[in-house]
Amino acid sequence: MDGFEFCQQIKSQIETSHIPVILLTALSSAENTETGLGKGADAYITKPFDENILIAQITNLLTQRKTLQDNFIHK
């Protein structure tokens, strides 16, 4: 199973669809990026990558998930 298939399986199941997925890959073509995002990836980062950008992506995704969770709990 490759990363695209793994991402699609995680995002297609209700029990795991909320888990943020960042594909970190050497596949850098626009076609591969489109495929990864089309399979449900929340972010697509190609190698070599900047560590600060990866950390910023993780921080943003977790902040967004926390905001959504808080909004649903308080409504």
Side-chain angles (χ1 to χ4, degrees), residues 14-64:
I14 191 69
E15 300 85 5
T16 56
S17 62
H18 66 282
I19 298 171
V21 174
I22 299 174
L23 291 177
L24 180 59
T25 179
L27 304 174
S28 60
S29 74
E31 182 180 330
N32 286 321
T33 302
E34 185 178 350
T35 298
L37 294 172
K39 299 285 183 179
D42 296 284
Y44 191 95
I45 299 177
T46 58
K47 297 176 189 175
F49 64 95
D50 183 309
E51 175 182 330
N52 293 322
I53 292 173
L54 177 60
I55 291 170
Q57 282 278 204
I58 293 168
T59 300
N60 286 346
L61 287 169
L62 293 176
T63 300
Q64 290 170 1

Side-chain angles (χ1 to χ4, degrees), residues 5-16:
E5 291 174 53
F6 181 72
C7 180
Q8 186 174 24
Q9 283 197 6
I10 286 179
K11 292 300 190 172
S12 67
Q13 298 175 22
I14 191 69
E15 300 85 5
T16 56

